[in-house]
Amino acid sequence: MTLKTIGVIGAGTMGNGIAQTCAVCGYDVIMQDVSDAALQRGLSTIEKSLGRLVSKEKISQAECDAAMGRIQVTSDIHAMADRDLVIEAASENLEIKLSVFTQLNEICADRTILATNTSSLSLTRIAAASGRDDRVIGMHFFNPVPLMALVEVIRALQTSDQTYQAIEALAKDLGKTPVSVKDSPGFVVNRMLVPMINEAVFILYEGLAQAEDIDAAMKLGAAHPMGPLALADMIGLDVCLWVMDVLHQEFGDSKFRPCPLLKQMVDAGYLGRKSGRGFYTYGK
């Protein structure tokens, strides 16, 4: 199964990054979002990102122009009808994703593979509600998509070998390194990474060390390029809390309980870089 045309649902940070990556690698892309403003922001982000690559001589201006020419935008989900693959990168909310997959099943051709960029939700549950369970799979990209090499390729219980092989080949063609993962809450990276961040928040909450010292300890003692609290600010504290809540609920294990300080900071709107304040303060 060869995939040539790709649809992306969602023009936010992950959606526009996925669209850019696919377009640079020669794929015909349609990026859809319910909001025209979001689509324009997404296109602007792609233009700026490609511009930086040109200035760093990673790609030529001609390659930049060609990539932009391969991206169409629309607010009409029916534009996905002829796509070989549709990658959903909407909000990390199960009900929203189930609604999108139900619509896509009705709209798309029988051959179309439906992928989700979910970072923690059940692929098996999404596949079961999709109407084409053997052609549903997870493609969990990492932010920033154009730069990060990893894609977790997640098999629902129902995913066919043919579907998996097509997506694994696509990930490699996009210049990514696919890692095969069975469906489980948090998959591989978030199941390890976010509890580590949560434990760093507990250390801060208990007054054992200041944020700067916690981050310095992990950078200098474990050779991490970024400390866990600075990383939480980059990811978004609301996203970290969401993943911890999913892990806690799905596994029912107290080791995944979110730190009270993490909850309080999200309640206060201190979400990290995107809000200007998290464990550190950021200029607007």
Side-chain angles (χ1 to χ4, degrees):
M1 183 188 301
T2 302
L3 306 175
K4 296 181 179 178
T5 59
I6 296 175
V8 178
I9 304 293
T13 300
M14 298 305 293
N16 68 60
I18 293 167
Q20 174 185 323
T21 299
C22 294
V24 166
C25 292
Y27 289 89
D28 170 9
V29 180
I30 297 178
M31 182 169 66
Q32 185 270 344
D33 201 295
V34 295
S35 163
D36 289 332
L39 288 169
Q40 292 308 310
R41 285 194 300 271
L43 270 182
S44 177
T45 298
I46 293 170
E47 288 173 345
K48 290 176 183 175
S49 176
L50 291 174
R52 286 192 294 270
L53 293 177
V54 172
S55 67
K56 294 177 181 178
E57 299 184 346
K58 301 289 187 182
I59 62 173
S60 67
Q61 186 62 53
E63 289 171 324
C64 170
D65 295 341
M68 288 302 301
R70 295 187 193 105
I71 301 173
Q72 303 174 60
V73 298
T74 181
S75 58
D76 185 3
I77 197 171
H78 288 83
M80 300 295 147
D82 67 343
R83 303 283 95 180
D84 296 326
L85 166 68
V86 179
I87 304 171
E88 171 273 319
S91 300
E92 191 72 347
N93 178 290
L94 183 61
E95 295 308 315
I96 291 174
K97 291 186 186 297
L98 293 180
S99 174
V100 169
F101 272 72
T102 298
Q103 291 180 72
L104 290 173
N105 184 54
E106 295 171 353
I107 292 165
C108 294
D110 289 343
R111 73 178 190 283
T112 304
I113 293 174
L114 303 182
T116 174
N117 182 57
T118 182
S119 60
S120 57
L121 296 173
S122 169
L123 258 295
T124 298
R125 199 173 302 165
I126 293 170
S130 71
R132 55 178 74 201
D133 53 5
D134 62 320
R135 281 157 290 154
V136 170
I137 195 164
M139 288 189 81
H140 182 208
F141 293 84
F142 289 78
N143 186 35
V145 177
L147 301 180
M148 298 293 280
L150 178 65
V151 176
E152 290 181 325
V153 181
I154 304 125
R155 298 183 71 139
L157 187 64
Q158 310 94 316
T159 304
S160 70
D161 290 341
Q162 184 182 27
T163 296
Y164 176 81
Q165 290 159 7
I167 296 303
E168 181 184 51
L170 172 69
K172 291 178 179 177
D173 196 50
L174 295 177
K176 305 301 185 186
T177 301
V179 171
S180 179
V181 184
K182 292 181 180 179
D183 184 25
S184 182
F187 314 127
V188 171
V189 173
N190 279 339
R191 182 165 169 183
M192 293 187 290
L193 178 65
V194 182
M196 182 197 73
I197 290 171
N198 190 58
E199 196 62 28
V201 182
F202 265 114
I203 291 171
L204 180 65
Y205 177 63
E206 294 167 9
L208 302 183
Q210 298 299 310
E212 294 84 354
D213 292 330
I214 294 167
D215 281 351
M218 290 305 290
K219 287 192 290 183
L220 299 175
H224 287 199
M226 179 181 290
L229 299 177
L231 181 58
D233 278 356
M234 188 174 78
I235 293 169
L237 272 60
D238 52 339
V239 176
C240 294
L241 179 58
W242 169 261
V243 173
M244 288 307 300
D245 281 337
V246 169
L247 293 172
H248 194 210
Q249 178 179 340
E250 294 296 326
F251 285 113
D253 191 326
S254 62
K255 72 179 181 180
F256 294 120
R257 71 202 184 286
C259 178
L261 178 59
L262 181 61
K263 292 182 178 181
Q264 289 170 354
M265 293 185 73
V266 171
D267 286 344
Y270 302 157
L271 306 182
R273 287 181 179 271
K274 60 187 172 185
S275 70
R277 178 175 177 179
F279 295 108
Y280 301 93
T281 302
Y282 304 88
K284 293 292 186 180

